[in-house]
Structure formats: structure tokens, C-alpha cells
């Protein structure tokens, strides 16, 4: 599949609503969670006023001039937060574009961007049975903490 990874433009930040919803892990066979769930404050922290914080970075994947995925980071108190100085990583693709290496390339390029900006680490949270866990491990994220539902993972640039 031909795709292009690039910085998301400010006028495209509105699409982060869609990508936030797509980032919510939904198990096969379960009823889909309602889209309105992204309005919950604990999820809005990932996208509200994106671009206004100094650690807001977003890359997107484009296929045939259509945005199909995004990876973004911001320094927030989210599910995968580890400390005040570490940005949290979020990534998602529309379902029909998964399995083509686009997510891995989005991750690779975001990690390269953060490394070039001098970040020491980035974190994320992932449900224990999320298929993306192996992708994160392959990219170099390591489990540093866990609870009953998820792992907290960290990528160290040093």
C-alpha cells in the first residue's frame, strides 16, 4: 500500500477526534463503545486545544490524499503518564489500514522526531490484550508498570 507520513497541519487537528476514537481498544465481539465517549474529560486531555502546548507533536499517514492514521504526543496527565516531563504517546489507524506497516512507520518517525528534539523518554498505556502491544515492544517500548487492565510502557532515547 502506498502511503505518506507527514506532519499534521493545524487545520487538520479536527481529525484527532476520529483518531482518538479509533485509539480506544475495542475487543472483537464486544459492542462498540459510543463515539461520545471521547467527550469524557479523561479522554479529552489527549486532544483538547491540540497544538497549544509546547510538547504537542502530530504526524499523520495519508493514502490517496485521505488521512488514515495519526500518532501524536503531548505532555499530559493521561493513562500512560509517568512524570511531569515525559510526553505521552497516542496512535491509531482506521481499521482498514491496519496490518500494512503504517502504524509501525508512524511510530518510528515520531520516535525519530522526539529524539531529534532532545526528549529522553516517551510513555504510553496499552491494554494487556491489545494486539498493538507486540508492535510497541518491537519499536523498543518496555513495560515499566502495570495494573489489572493495562501496561504502562516507556521508550528511552538514551
Amino acid at each position: 500500500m502506498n502511503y505518506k507520513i507527514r506532519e499534521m497541519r493545524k487545520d487538520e487537528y479536527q481529525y484527532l477526534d476520529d483518531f482518538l476514537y479509533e485509539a480506544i481498544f475495542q475487543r472483537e465481539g464486544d459492542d462498540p463503545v459510543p463515539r461520545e465517549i471521547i467527550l469524557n474529560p479523561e479522554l479529552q486531555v489527549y486532544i483538547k486545544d491540540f497544538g497549544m502546548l509546547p510538547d504537542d507533536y502530530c504526524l499523520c499517514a495519508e493514502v490517496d490524499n485521505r488521512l488514515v492514521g495519526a500518532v501524536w504526543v503531548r505532555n499530559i496527565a493521561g493513562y500512560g503518564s509517568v512524570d511531569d516531563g515525559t510526553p505521552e504517546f497516542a496512535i491509531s489507524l482506521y481499521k482498514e489500514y491496519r496490518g500494512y506497516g503504517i502504524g509501525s512507520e508512524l511510530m518510528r518517525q515520531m520516535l525519530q522526531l522526539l529524539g531529534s528534539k532532545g526528549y529522553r523518554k516517551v510513555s504510553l498505556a496499552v491494554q494487556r490484550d491489545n494486539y498493538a502491544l507486540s508492535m510497541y515492544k518491537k519499536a523498543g517500548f518496555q513495560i515499566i508498570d502495570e495494573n489489572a487492565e493495562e501496561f504502562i510502557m516507556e521508550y528511552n532515547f538514551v
Side-chain angles (χ1 to χ4, degrees):
M1 176 172 293
N2 291 328
Y3 60 89
K4 177 170 87 173
I5 307 292
R6 62 172 175 80
E7 283 189 41
M8 183 179 271
R9 298 186 310 265
K10 288 182 178 22
D11 66 318
E12 296 172 320
Y13 288 164
Q14 62 187 328
Y15 295 107
L16 288 177
D17 283 2
D18 288 341
F19 293 122
L20 178 62
Y21 182 74
E22 291 296 324
I24 298 168
F25 178 58
Q26 301 191 51
R27 289 171 182 84
E28 288 291 324
D30 287 357
D31 289 334
V33 296
R35 185 164 163 70
E36 296 78 34
I37 196 169
I38 68 167
L39 300 176
N40 291 355
E42 62 270 16
L43 292 175
Q44 276 294 298
V45 70
Y46 287 90
I47 60 170
K48 187 174 185 202
D49 298 324
F50 193 86
M52 303 299 288
L53 299 175
D55 297 307
D56 286 354
Y57 298 102
C58 184
L59 299 176
C60 60
E62 190 178 277
V63 173
D64 296 328
N65 296 314
R66 177 181 183 231
L67 295 185
V68 301
V71 59
W72 66 102
V73 298
R74 63 186 336 197
N75 196 349
I76 54 169
Y79 292 106
S81 181
V82 294
D83 60 47
D84 292 342
T86 302
E88 191 171 341
F89 196 95
I91 185 169
S92 73
L93 289 167
Y94 292 129
K95 286 184 176 97
E96 62 267 31
Y97 295 94
R98 296 175 187 165
Y100 294 99
I102 300 171
S104 295
E105 185 61 17
L106 277 167
M107 288 179 57
R108 188 191 70 73
Q109 289 196 30
M110 179 57 81
L111 292 170
Q112 184 178 2
L113 174 68
L114 294 173
S116 74
K117 297 203 174 282
Y119 286 91
R120 295 185 314 141
K121 59 186 175 176
V122 64
S123 66
L124 61 81
V126 60
Q127 282 81 6
R128 291 172 169 270
D129 57 339
N130 188 327
Y131 56 87
L133 177 61
S134 62
M135 181 177 67
Y136 298 142
K137 286 180 176 179
K138 187 175 177 183
F141 281 85
Q142 297 181 345
I143 297 169
I144 61 161
D145 200 3
E146 61 185 278
N147 59 42
E149 292 183 21
E150 59 194 6
F151 295 116
I152 307 303
M153 302 183 82
E154 195 173 81
Y155 180 94
N156 290 289
F157 293 96
V158 215

